[in-house]
Amino acid sequence: MHPTPPRRATTRPARFRRYAVPLSTLTVLSLAGCTLTGGDDESSTGDESSSSSQSAGGEVVLVTHDSFNLPDEVVSGFTDETGYELTVLPSGDAGEMTNTLALTEGSPLGDAVFGIDNTFASRAVEEEILAPYSPDQLPEGAPERALPGDLADYLTPVDFGDVCVNIDRTWFEREGVTEPESLADLTEPEYEGLFVTPGASTSSPGLAFLLATIAEFGQDGWQQYWSDLVDNDVRVVSGWEDAYTVDFTAGGGDGDRPIVVSYASSPPFTIGDDGEPTTTALMDTCFGQVEYAGVLEGAENEEGARAAVDYLLSDTVQAALPESMYVFPVATQTELPQEWEEHAEVAEDPLEIPADQVEANREQWVNQWADIATG
């Protein structure tokens, strides 16, 4: 993190609350798409069900989005506890992954899937790419993130991370520009050329932001809103990484846009090395996003796939999620890093669209958006 200059005291929108419990900092290790086997961790003993599965062994292929990034020791812990060898298969963004799985229905790429979010969940179930499975016991907090009705029989909540507009407060203070407070503000002349967002057709957070604008302005108003954004020189890029780390002024690069679509968990990562407060903050613009795991229909190792879903809800994985994948664990008893206690927030009343409405309209909305935003 880069040191940051002092800034004026600010207050946060009432719709946000702290998600706060302390935790010592976890070591973040990168995980490429590869096979990881268990080591000699003497602390991993497993329960009775784990012991029985150890005798079976075998490979479990977990299909994920490209942002899957649990530490090596956490992934290898799956082998320690179950006896199965986990192979991680990154398959693009959440939307691309879901589309690929739909095209391979009946002959799945793997055994289990992680990373289907609430914007694509109903499609995944309707395309019959998932086998029914729900763990016998969900950790406290997970039932509140479960999908409605029969969808919950196929997909299990693992993490969540509200998609919100982030602003670089240091930039606004330095330039003497009033900070925007609402989605409508982003179309005002003083914010021309200051906003960057990932695209709705190529990015899960980009789609979530599109849905936020539809929830905010309605079926009759969202297209005009996007036309106004385009007229105000919004920059649309392919994915979150480009938007945040390349174009955003506080993203670590040489960006020139102080307003970006990112996550509610982003501000803790702009804390200065000298202990100065985070330089970024959230606008009251959040859309709730939950990621799920499930067993793929036709899995070669269905028992191992179920074990993988269970493991994603374990204390070990839930504790690793914040600093390795920048999302909130669904298990509310999970302790969070100190930086998250101080700076990460959860929208108490996020913008939402029911899953069935998203499924019924997603393709049309994205096509209409593309006509406006990308010509």
Side-chain angles (χ1 to χ4, degrees):
M1 302 297 177
H2 298 288
T4 56
R7 58 180 176 83
R8 65 180 182 276
T10 56
T11 57
R12 300 184 185 274
R15 273 173 44 169
F16 295 105
R17 62 179 173 85
R18 302 282 188 200
Y19 191 103
V21 268
L23 177 72
S24 59
T25 303
L26 298 168
T27 301
V28 180
L29 300 175
S30 63
L31 172 66
C34 57
T35 299
L36 294 173
T37 58
D40 298 324
D41 184 357
E42 297 179 358
S43 64
S44 297
T45 58
D47 55 19
E48 293 181 1
S49 61
S50 300
S51 299
S52 63
S53 61
Q54 282 182 347
S55 62
E59 180 188 38
V60 178
V61 178
L62 178 65
V63 181
T64 74
H65 52 53
D66 288 346
S67 297
F68 184 87
N69 188 39
L70 288 176
D72 290 351
E73 66 269 23
V74 173
V75 177
S76 62
F78 175 69
T79 303
D80 297 335
E81 291 195 9
T82 69
Y84 293 112
E85 179 182 310
L86 187 66
T87 296
V88 178
L89 181 61
S91 301
D93 185 80
E96 181 182 354
M97 177 183 70
T98 305
N99 292 337
T100 300
L101 290 173
L103 292 173
T104 56
E105 182 267 327
S107 182
L109 300 175
D111 303 299
V113 59
F114 164 77
I116 295 174
D117 66 23
N118 50 305
T119 65
F120 287 98
S122 57
R123 182 186 180 195
V125 173
E126 291 182 5
E127 293 283 352
E128 299 183 345
I129 64 177
L130 299 165
Y133 179 66
S134 180
D136 292 336
Q137 291 186 332
L138 295 177
E140 184 177 352
E144 288 77 7
R145 304 284 174 180
L147 290 161
D150 294 341
L151 296 178
D153 296 334
Y154 295 86
L155 286 167
T156 299
V158 174
D159 65 66
F160 67 97
D162 297 328
V163 174
C164 313
V165 177
N166 282 228
I167 59 174
D168 178 1
R169 283 185 156 160
T170 298
W171 186 94
F172 282 98
E173 184 170 332
R174 183 180 68 243
E175 300 297 326
V177 178
T178 302
E179 297 173 2
E181 297 180 352
S182 68
L183 288 173
D185 286 349
L186 299 180
T187 64
E188 296 298 325
E190 57 263 46
Y191 306 113
E192 181 177 0
L194 301 184
F195 180 38
V196 58
T197 178
S201 59
T202 55
S203 165
S204 179
L207 176 58
F209 178 67
L210 169 61
L211 296 176
T213 65
I214 296 171
E216 178 74 8
F217 298 104
Q219 293 273 26
D220 297 329
W222 75 266
Q223 293 185 63
Q224 182 59 55
Y225 174 74
W226 273 94
S227 293
D228 293 342
L229 280 180
V230 170
D231 290 343
N232 216 33
D233 191 25
V234 64
R235 180 179 294 165
V236 178
V237 297
S238 61
W240 172 86
E241 186 170 356
D242 285 339
Y244 195 89
T245 65
V246 177
D247 292 302
F248 186 42
T249 53
D254 297 319
D256 59 357
R257 302 261 167 158
I259 309 171
V260 64
V261 169
S262 191
Y263 293 92
S265 54
S266 297
F269 298 95
T270 56
I271 298 172
D273 290 333
D274 56 1
E276 285 292 334
T278 176
T279 64
T280 58
L282 309 178
M283 288 174 57
D284 193 7
T285 56
C286 296
F287 186 88
Q289 187 180 52
V290 183
E291 290 187 315
Y292 300 88
V295 176
L296 291 171
E297 181 65 43
E300 290 188 9
N301 191 345
E302 185 171 347
E303 181 183 354
R306 293 180 177 184
V309 173
D310 292 347
Y311 187 66
L312 290 170
L313 293 176
S314 68
D315 292 344
T316 300
V317 172
Q318 291 288 296
L321 288 170
E323 288 199 338
S324 60
M325 292 174 60
Y326 315 128
V327 289
F328 292 97
V330 294
T332 52
Q333 75 270 20
T334 305
E335 294 182 339
L336 299 180
Q338 186 67 32
E339 292 85 355
W340 286 55
E341 176 186 357
E342 296 176 359
H343 301 289
E345 299 175 354
V346 178
E348 290 187 341
D349 186 24
L351 296 163
E352 295 180 341
I353 297 178
D356 58 345
Q357 290 186 28
V358 174
E359 177 59 29
N361 296 284
R362 183 194 306 108
E363 184 175 357
Q364 177 183 355
W365 285 341
V366 170
N367 288 339
Q368 290 171 334
W369 169 87
D371 288 341
I372 300 167
T374 64

